[in-house]
Amino acid sequence: NKLGRGHRDKVQQFMTITGSSEKAAIQALKSSDWHLEGAFDIFFSQPQVKSYADIRRVEELYKRYKDPYVDMILADGITLLCSDLQVDPQDIVMLVLSWHMKAATMCEFSKQEFIGCLQALGIDSLEKFRDRVQFMRSDLKDEQKFHEIYNFAFGWAKEKGQKSLALDTAIGMWQLLFEEKQWPLVDHWCQFLQARHNKAISRDTWSQLLEFARMVDPKLSNYDAEGAWPYLIDEFVEYLNENGIVQKGHLNDWNQKC
């Protein structure tokens, strides 16, 4: 069957991003009723599907960003990469990219992390890299992937050799992540930590907060005081009540910013 122009454009776009054959592109797009995002999900969720990347071109990309003195990509290289990708270094998509890279540390990519990720994603040109990074934003809409990215962010953002995450860093990461998930209490949580806690954040507090944000209504109507929440979260609930932010199942001025 001949494809209309709109469908042909989608096939071409799909092939550019995934490096797939025309046949695989049409199959994935038909399966998703010609929705590009759905087709990408189908394609990339199949472990047996490997999009092809020319290793020589991948290595050339690595050399473009590699530090001149160390066999790694460091802050200057990542700044150049962001410029090439037309992405702000503070954009959350760089966190998602680092998650795909399985990067151990913020603002660093090892050669193995960078090349392994690009090969796995079938990226061997800046054009493919730009297209794929733009698609990575959709990972944040997937509940399971967001959970994985959120938990990854703790280890990625903390200082080397430290078990906890510096409070200022944790607050910056929470504001970045919950801007995507629109948790109404995030700014009050930041204010509470600065006023009452002022200490580094443990991994347990980090992971439990996401569960609290997902499970407890922002009005606290289903909050169980006898639940197994960390002490800091129980204190936060007290703070919300004491300051009249939450009263009798109502959330007051929840969109006020820090």
Side-chain angles (χ1 to χ4, degrees):
N1 295 335
K2 287 191 174 181
L3 299 175
R5 183 174 178 179
H7 286 176
R8 283 202 312 274
D9 288 346
K10 287 185 177 181
V11 168
Q12 193 59 49
Q13 193 176 345
F14 188 94
M15 289 168 63
T16 299
I17 294 174
T18 62
S20 71
S21 66
E22 184 179 39
K23 182 180 177 182
I26 292 171
Q27 186 177 358
L29 283 159
K30 280 184 175 177
S31 299
S32 69
D33 199 23
W34 292 92
H35 293 295
L36 264 172
E37 284 201 5
F40 288 133
D41 284 339
I42 290 166
F43 183 83
F44 288 114
S45 67
Q46 297 173 10
Q48 72 273 19
V49 173
K50 286 286 183 186
S51 42
Y52 174 74
D54 184 328
I55 186 61
R56 288 169 300 178
R57 294 175 71 186
V58 174
E59 287 180 345
E60 284 302 313
L61 281 173
Y62 174 74
K63 286 175 189 172
R64 174 170 171 76
Y65 306 113
K66 186 185 94 67
D67 187 84
Y69 305 107
V70 186
D71 196 13
M72 291 186 77
I73 297 172
L74 300 179
D76 288 347
I78 289 175
T79 300
L80 177 59
L81 174 62
C82 289
S83 176
D84 284 348
L85 296 177
Q86 299 164 357
V87 167
D88 188 293
Q90 303 300 318
D91 193 314
I92 194 171
V93 81
M94 292 306 293
L95 167 60
V96 182
L97 174 60
S98 298
W99 172 67
H100 277 281
M101 295 261 184
K102 300 181 176 67
T105 307
M106 189 189 290
C107 293
E108 290 184 10
F109 295 139
S110 72
K111 184 176 183 178
Q112 184 179 357
E113 288 166 353
F114 186 88
I115 289 181
C117 173
L118 267 60
Q119 281 188 290
L121 296 178
I123 296 169
D124 58 12
S125 69
L126 268 176
E127 184 185 14
K128 286 183 184 178
F129 211 156
R130 275 190 212 106
D131 287 338
R132 190 75 180 98
V133 164
Q134 290 309 313
F135 174 68
M136 282 178 190
R137 295 183 192 283
S138 65
D139 290 336
L140 295 160
K141 296 172 187 171
D142 181 291
E143 195 71 26
Q144 181 58 39
K145 287 180 182 177
F146 181 85
H147 192 276
E148 289 176 21
I149 292 164
Y150 177 93
N151 284 328
F152 163 82
F154 181 90
W156 176 74
K158 70 180 176 63
E159 294 286 336
K160 286 181 182 177
Q162 297 296 313
K163 290 186 177 179
S164 299
L165 186 58
L167 180 59
D168 287 349
T169 306
I171 284 174
M173 295 304 299
W174 273 318
Q175 288 176 328
L176 189 68
L177 286 155
F178 284 124
E179 190 176 332
E180 296 295 320
K181 279 295 172 189
Q182 300 288 313
W183 182 45
L185 295 174
V186 63
D187 291 336
H188 296 300
W189 171 250
C190 297
Q191 290 168 336
F192 159 74
L193 290 173
Q194 289 167 322
R196 300 279 183 90
H197 186 61
N198 205 27
K199 294 177 187 170
I201 299 299
S202 70
R203 185 179 287 276
D204 183 55
T205 297
W206 179 266
S207 58
Q208 287 289 325
L209 186 76
L210 180 60
E211 294 309 305
F212 179 81
R214 290 168 75 181
M215 293 171 61
V216 177
D217 181 87
K219 299 170 187 174
L220 306 183
S221 58
N222 62 340
Y223 171 73
D224 179 7
E226 302 301 315
W229 297 111
Y231 180 65
L232 193 60
I233 289 179
D234 288 331
E235 267 196 63
F236 174 55
V237 171
E238 286 178 24
Y239 168 86
L240 292 174
N241 288 314
E242 284 170 13
N243 288 277
I245 297 161
V246 174
Q247 288 179 329
K248 296 179 181 176
H250 293 284
L251 180 56
N252 302 322
D253 298 323
W254 61 264
N255 57 354
Q256 176 190 344
K257 296 297 179 188
C258 292

